[in-house]
Amino acid sequence: MRDPRLSATLPPRDPRQSGTNAPSDPTIRSNVANGIRGPTFQERNHETDTTAQNQNEEVNGLGRLRPRSTGGMNHVYDDLYRTQMNGSSQDLSPLPQVSGQSRPPALPAATRTKNDYSPRKVQELDTERGDKDGDESTWKMRHGWEGEHTSSEYLKLLNSAFYMYFTDKRHDTCGIPKAGFEQWPNQDWRMKDRLKTVSAALAICLNIGVDPPDVVKTNPCAKMESWIDPTVSTGGPSSKALEQIGKRLQEQYETLSLRTRYKQYLDPSVEDTKKFCVSMRRNAKDERVLMHYNGHGVPLPTQSGELWVFNKNYTQYIPVSLYDLQSWLAGPSLFVYDVSHAGNIVHNFPIFAEKHEKEQLEQRRKDPNAPLQHYGDCIQLAACGRTESLPTNPALPADLFTCCLTTPIDIAIRFFVLQNPLKSGIKIDDNKVPVPGKLQERRSPLGELNWIFTAITDTIAWNVLPRPLFKKLFRQDLMVAALFRNFLLAERIMRANKCHPISSPELPETHHHPLWQSWDLAVEMVLSQLPMLLEHEEGKRTYEYQHSSFFAEQLTAFEIYLGSGPKEDEAPDQLPIVLQVLLSQVHRLRALILLSKFLDLGPWAVHLALSIGIFPYVVKLLQSAAAELKPVMVFIWARIMAVDYTVQNDLLKDNGIHYFISILNPNSNIAVGNASEHRAMCAFIIATFCKNYPQGQHVCCTPELFEYTLKGLDSTNPLLRHWSCLCFSMLWLDHPEAKWQGIRSSACMRLCDLSLDPVPEVRAAMLHALTNFLGIADVTDQVAQIEESIATAILFMTNDGAALVRKELLVFFSTFVQRYENKFFVAAYEELRREKESLLDSVLNSQENEKQDGARAQRKNTAIVSGDSVFASMWKQVLVLSVDPHPEVARNASIIVDWVHETMMSSPLAPLAQSVVEGIWLVSRQVPATKAKDKGPLESISQPLDTPSSQPAHRSQSYLSLSLRRTASVAASLKNVFGGSSTVDGSPHKSGPSSPSKPQHNPPVAPTTPRSRAPPEWSRPPENDEPSKPLGPYTQAPAPTSPGFRSLNISKGQRPELPLKSTLLDWSTEYFREPQMRPNETDEPGSANYNQRIWRRGRNDQIISENQPLKEMAGRSRWDHVHRVLPNATNGGQPTKMCFHQFENHLAIVDDRDTVCIWDHYSTRLLSRFSAANPPGTRLTTLRFINEDDTALLLLGSSDGVLKVYRNYDHNPIAPSTPMSPLASTRSTFEKPVELVTSFRALTDVVQSTKNAGVVVEWMQGSGKALVAGDVRVIRVWNVATECCTVDIPARSSSPLTSLTSDAVAGQIFVAGFGDGAVRVFDQRLKPNISMVRMWREHNQWITGVHMQRGGVRELISGSREGTVKLWDLRSDKSIASIRALDGPSVAPSAHHHHHHHHPSHASTTAAAASSSSKAETMRALAVHEHAPVFCVGASRSGVRSFNTDGTFLGAFEPGRGILAGLTAISGGGHQRSVKGLAYHPHRMLLGVAVGGVGDVTVLGAAGKEGVLSFRGEKGDKGWEGL
């Protein structure tokens, strides 16, 4: 499946290749998978095997493994086919190259966009900086990177592919199976009503020598009956000829079905007719009977459909009515009428059948117990219409219709010879063409013709008939199928002789089908060799029969169909022929390969193949020992099992499942390169075989299978690891014997080792297996110890970054909680009691009642039963997950909490728990009145906190625990901690998972250092100097949820149910229902998605190239021109942070609450507005665009340590009732709403205080990492591909981390700024404890921002609260320049660095000299352009000041002047306003500005001497606009 494939890729340089993944190790990036794409994620961190076999199994993930070409596994199987054919003695034409396999024509290379997030070649950098003098020293990169970042190897690595993240299937579906997945097993492809024709009556009424009175025969006329001429004297009476005809007719029928019991009735009387009809129906019971009627010696059927037979003395013709015949034979029956005017019988048959049905209904009303006869299921074949006579051509048999039905090959050859206008010289012996061979020998000429005829007639019927009718006539009964195949030939031949055979049910015309031409060609090829074949039989010459190319050509046609991109409504014409080809050992492998490609198209193709009758063939092939068939058979069976697992009984018969168990053996030999992929399919087949099938579990519960599956857990292929886990899971489900086998083989502990697997799907599958392991009926001490050790081993996974894993973990928790419910009652009760004590301590502390110390001590000495047991720890983790940022995880955890609380209230603990709950209610009401007055905005919890947005909104829809969490329960306490608020007692928590609700009543005191004696405002964030005020009416925006999320809607009184139900198995199975043999549509040249990506790539390159000349000019221009104004940018909120998209005209803005607004900054249109659903007391502190080269996602970070990723961020339709900018009235409604892709708690131990920096996030697109830090003592590195925290790097500071920046291209070096003014440099390539490689302490106050340019010279710039900006070089111990940005355009060079300007140094400023009042000018924001030599600072009173990196002052913009003056006056603000946020556009010369007290966002541009430097975003052209 897809280190996981969180990464889809943009088209690489060669558009004929599909995308690769995003490995963190460059040596792994070049790995290319050989073969089929694995399930939906990738492998990165596992070492590759050194064997030749495993070298071919290198994969980039469990998902879209990069195929060797656009054909994916096509070429793997094609190579297998060619290898086998090269060693074969058969003279076969080579496998043709069709459109689905050959490489497509070359398209313009889809190279990586050359943005400034990756370096360009030296000559490009030269052009970019406008170096006209040729002085290389003027453009060299800072930090000594010019050699490394411009090397050919490095550029080649970066340009090989560009990676996208959070685009895997688990992010699209969140582990929820597609709607309607349960319908697949219900598809009726099996013949449940299969019938057999058990008896046949051959009624032959010839009366040889006497012509019927109403028949006039020509002279000469047709005479042969069953290829016997009755007029030729045989030396006996006419009765002898009649017996020969009857015997020959029975022999002809026996070639169709040997199991049918035949009885000849020669010139029967009416009494005999009734007798044999009634007897035949009685013996057949409910099976089908056949009546063949030859009426060539009796009068024609009457207008009412009566048949004629004889009396006993053969002196009269006696009519038999259809009514009587139906009464005798009833149904199900099959009638064949070889007589002139046969259409009269067919026409009247339903009339009498309806009469019988009415009579039965009337009889049933009189007697409910009366027996019923079925008259509806009757099939009829008639030789001609109501007024037509049979052909009398003497060159044809008299019973031409019967010959077509029973000897199709003989009559077809004769017909071809007669119809051939060319003289062939073929002699007809014994009235037949003497073609050598037997019908059953497919390698003989006659047998091959019969084989081709069967394939052609089956295919014609498949293409012409409706599917239900085809199934009834050609798959229900062997006799019926044979007769109707031959009936298609009869229609062709009889129509050529002016007769129109009819049938009931009626068939469409087939005589003109193009495949009949293929049949004529096959006959002609045999007849052309007939003289040589006859001479070979006579011994006159040696001749080897040249086999027909029919099947090879039809397989080629099927191959062309597969290469045309077929869809569900385009069924292949050749599918029945492929079925026939499976019978041939010569073409079998190629047919199986093509069949596997067809099945890969999806479930519709699988059902189509099953309905055509492919299943018995693939079941029989399981008995084959041919090694070359194993890979293809595994693939085919995986597709069948994914669609319909009810084939378990068929696998159990004849021990077919051992075919796959033997292949799962890692020592088995598979004739294919990517053997591990096929072993993964075997694991899937075995897991599905055991699914809800005890007999299958019993068969598979062997030590050998456990050994093979355990070895699969160590595979480098994540698909195999994934399904090895699920194989264990299905073996253990309600099967104690298999669980004990797992204990003996230590499988549980081996599974626990996968808790740190780099692939999230593997981790989830591991949890699925451990969940099903729980539940051994006899809970002995050994069993309990094993289960508790498993729970302990996976408890830490509550911090997993993948929502899929946390969801599966909750399923395990729910099963464990239900199994040990009594112990969890105790843990829940004690947690409630601790909550009550915490609340009481808050009240006592607020009242300062020293007399209560003894009571407090007495309470704390109360015995704790659960203590630090696994049950108490797990309960705390469940409470943590009940406030998880992901709505599904929070909902599922809430169900567990509700169940425990609800059940506890019905247990013996109920009286004690009830008293604790009542105490919590009483005490919680006292806390706001005593403490809320002294709390700041981040600490106050005067109101009971609501549950997350994923919880039910009304108490009436909730359980007891929900109401508890809405007041002061443990869950509410946890929410206070994780939501950014203090607990009810006002003391900050250390909210790690080990003790999520334990308060710190005595926080540690900071050490006394010279820096700690500095004024407090120096280490305080600038934005805390003045509180934000409401700017107007504020409307809460809608909060997006994850795909498929459904909130709880529980009626009152309904109890929650445990355990939770996992959907992982069904979701994982979907992989085998999806196409894997072809590249994704996005990677397929010519597809819409591919063309869109190519277009985006060209547009991106154009934007970058058009902005290259503007960079140096921007460094000389004034940055004070108002380009655009976005009025009321956040709908009543205070804009604080913003971010420009690199290539789209998107500007994302967040306010001081939790609202996100997306604007088109060119047209000033509000595109979307939504809420991040932050808990109260928290705010958004980070926003970034990711995957900007293609379809971007929006990354948000909030002060409670949570990261959220959204897709379709600009597609959210705004509700009509939502107030918004009037300019958004033209906004169109999009189909796809904003969706939450993923969310997780990146920091679990955020310490909230008045000096907080929130959460600081640095996104590194190239390496797929997110650096997360803030009010913690570590810098956490998250690998978003694996969704795991890879390392915690010590921050080496007690001050909060305020800003992060990195070399996002290489992704190894990052720089952090701190609240005490320190700037530290870290190298991720070193061990965490020694990763800090440099520290600068030239700043004295809070670092407002630090930024390293991602283009240009890679300047590293930092700014502190007091207004000092410094430029750094990573190789230097000191700053290379210092600019006092708030004092004016001054710069102070360091002693070791020569600069163009000379000003007094600012570095020696002392703490006392720099100390100022709270009203002193401070730097609120710092922004640095990514590639232009420009930066700006935002001040508390003097607006925005822009500078060149050489210190040149580029102008100031004061928000209270110009276009904003009227707006500020209306809002009541003064002339001076503090800057809240700054952001440069990554490429264009634009700067976004947000100021305090004004809800607008201003977009500034640079103005030079020639005019305003701008970019026309919608038209895609640059230009100078006059002032």
Side-chain angles (χ1 to χ4, degrees), residues 973-1129:
S973 175
L974 285 172
K975 184 172 182 178
N976 296 339
V977 176
F978 290 111
S981 307
S982 299
T983 55
V984 288
D985 63 352
S987 301
H989 279 59
K990 182 179 180 181
S991 55
S994 59
S995 58
S997 62
K998 183 177 179 181
Q1000 292 180 344
H1001 295 289
N1002 298 310
V1005 179
T1008 302
T1009 62
R1011 188 167 295 273
S1012 67
R1013 292 193 294 268
E1017 64 268 15
W1018 285 18
S1019 59
R1020 185 168 62 238
E1023 59 269 20
N1024 280 7
D1025 286 354
E1026 60 179 41
S1028 59
K1029 300 177 182 179
L1031 302 180
Y1034 188 85
T1035 304
Q1036 185 68 30
T1041 60
S1042 58
F1045 171 73
R1046 295 182 180 179
S1047 59
L1048 292 175
N1049 187 14
I1050 309 291
S1051 59
K1052 188 175 180 180
Q1054 181 180 356
R1055 293 189 57 188
E1057 296 182 359
L1058 288 191
L1060 300 173
K1061 303 299 181 183
S1062 173
T1063 59
L1064 180 69
L1065 182 67
D1066 295 321
W1067 179 80
S1068 301
T1069 302
E1070 287 181 352
Y1071 166 74
F1072 294 103
R1073 298 178 187 147
E1074 298 167 352
Q1076 303 297 334
M1077 281 192 176
R1078 55 178 179 172
N1080 304 315
E1081 184 182 359
T1082 306
D1083 303 324
E1084 184 71 54
S1087 66
N1089 287 344
Y1090 185 89
N1091 292 339
Q1092 290 173 6
R1093 287 188 165 182
I1094 293 294
W1095 176 86
R1096 290 192 198 102
R1097 190 63 61 84
R1099 177 207 56 185
N1100 299 350
D1101 286 336
Q1102 181 182 5
I1103 290 175
I1104 295 171
S1105 62
E1106 289 175 343
N1107 280 275
Q1108 296 302 322
L1110 307 182
K1111 297 179 181 180
E1112 288 299 326
M1113 289 184 279
R1116 303 190 298 268
S1117 304
R1118 293 182 60 83
W1119 284 77
D1120 55 4
H1121 174 74
V1122 177
H1123 181 70
R1124 293 287 189 274
V1125 176
L1126 310 181
N1128 194 15

Side-chain angles (χ1 to χ4, degrees), residues 1246-1263:
V1246 178
V1247 179
Q1248 296 291 346
S1249 69
T1250 58
K1251 300 180 180 180
N1252 67 81
V1255 169
V1256 183
V1257 180
E1258 172 68 4
W1259 168 247
M1260 300 157 65
Q1261 180 78 38
S1263 57

Side-chain angles (χ1 to χ4, degrees), residues 162-434:
F162 195 72
Y163 309 108
M164 295 171 60
Y165 300 92
F166 299 112
T167 57
D168 271 341
K169 181 182 176 181
R170 66 176 178 273
H171 302 117
D172 295 336
T173 62
C174 199
I176 301 175
K178 295 178 182 177
F181 74 94
E182 296 178 351
Q183 71 181 355
W184 299 119
N186 298 329
Q187 295 289 336
D188 184 18
W189 56 269
R190 294 179 182 269
M191 292 301 304
K192 296 180 181 179
D193 53 348
R194 182 181 293 276
L195 296 175
K196 292 184 294 184
T197 302
V198 295
S199 300
L202 307 180
I204 305 175
C205 301
L206 293 181
N207 197 13
I208 298 175
V210 179
D211 293 335
D214 55 353
V215 175
V216 178
K217 294 184 179 181
T218 61
N219 189 17
C221 67
K223 298 179 181 180
M224 287 186 294
E225 302 280 352
S226 298
W227 299 103
I228 295 176
D229 187 352
T231 62
V232 177
S233 176
T234 58
S238 59
S239 60
K240 190 68 174 178
L242 184 61
E243 291 176 1
Q244 292 178 354
I245 292 172
K247 183 179 179 181
R248 178 69 64 87
L249 180 61
Q250 179 174 337
E251 291 174 354
Q252 293 174 181
Y253 264 105
E254 286 174 348
T255 60
L256 305 182
S257 175
L258 281 173
R259 297 183 179 181
T260 303
R261 299 187 298 270
Y262 299 96
K263 184 70 174 177
Q264 306 170 29
Y265 297 96
L266 310 177
D267 292 343
S269 64
V270 63
E271 293 82 3
D272 293 338
T273 303
K274 178 179 179 180
K275 183 177 180 181
F276 74 69
C277 287
V278 173
S279 174
M280 189 166 56
R281 169 48 60 198
R282 183 176 58 250
N283 295 332
K285 297 181 180 179
D286 293 331
E287 297 289 349
R288 178 173 281 123
V289 296
L290 165 66
M291 180 178 178
H292 178 96
Y293 176 72
N294 183 328
H296 297 174
V298 294
L300 301 177
T302 65
Q303 291 292 328
S304 59
E306 293 174 315
L307 304 177
W308 295 90
V309 291
F310 305 95
N311 62 1
K312 288 186 177 180
N313 299 324
Y314 296 97
T315 58
Q316 291 181 341
Y317 298 107
I318 308 297
V320 177
S321 70
L322 274 180
Y323 181 86
D324 293 337
L325 188 63
Q326 290 175 348
S327 301
W328 301 337
L329 286 177
S333 301
L334 171 60
F335 298 91
V336 178
Y337 312 120
D338 191 350
V339 61
S340 297
H341 294 197
N344 286 327
I345 308 175
V346 178
H347 175 74
N348 288 279
F349 196 94
I351 299 175
F352 291 103
E354 184 178 356
K355 183 178 180 181
H356 277 292
E357 296 289 348
K358 290 180 179 179
E359 291 176 354
Q360 282 201 136
L361 290 176
E362 184 66 25
Q363 187 177 1
R364 260 302 175 95
R365 280 195 294 267
K366 297 178 181 179
D367 182 10
N369 298 323
L372 287 177
Q373 291 281 0
H374 299 285
Y375 299 96
D377 189 11
C378 293
I379 299 173
Q380 304 173 83
L381 299 175
C384 58
R386 300 184 65 181
T387 60
E388 294 177 342
S389 299
L390 296 178
T392 58
N393 186 349
L396 295 173
D399 61 344
L400 178 61
F401 185 64
T402 300
C403 290
C404 289
L405 295 181
T406 56
T407 57
I409 306 302
D410 294 331
I411 192 63
I413 296 176
R414 186 182 186 92
F415 174 75
F416 178 84
V417 173
L418 295 175
Q419 293 290 106
N420 191 358
L422 302 178
K423 294 183 179 180
S424 60
I426 297 175
K427 297 180 179 180
I428 299 179
D429 298 333
D430 193 20
N431 300 321
K432 296 181 181 180
V433 178

Side-chain angles (χ1 to χ4, degrees), residues 845-922:
N845 290 337
S846 64
Q847 296 174 352
E848 300 180 355
N849 191 347
E850 297 180 358
K851 296 181 181 180
Q852 301 296 330
D853 291 344
R856 185 186 298 115
Q858 183 178 359
R859 286 197 315 274
K860 300 220 182 250
N861 290 332
T862 305
I864 301 297
V865 178
S866 61
D868 294 330
S869 66
V870 65
F871 308 103
S873 300
M874 183 178 292
W875 178 243
K876 292 176 182 179
Q877 297 302 331
V878 172
L879 294 173
V880 170
L881 292 174
S882 68
V883 289
D884 192 88
H886 197 279
E888 277 197 76
V889 177
R891 178 199 63 192
N892 293 350
S894 298
I895 293 175
I896 301 177
V897 174
D898 292 337
W899 185 89
V900 171
H901 284 161
E902 182 81 7
T903 312
M904 181 178 63
M905 289 304 178
S906 304
S907 70
L909 276 177
L912 296 174
Q914 185 65 35
S915 64
V916 174
V917 171
E918 293 174 354
I920 291 176
W921 274 91
L922 292 175

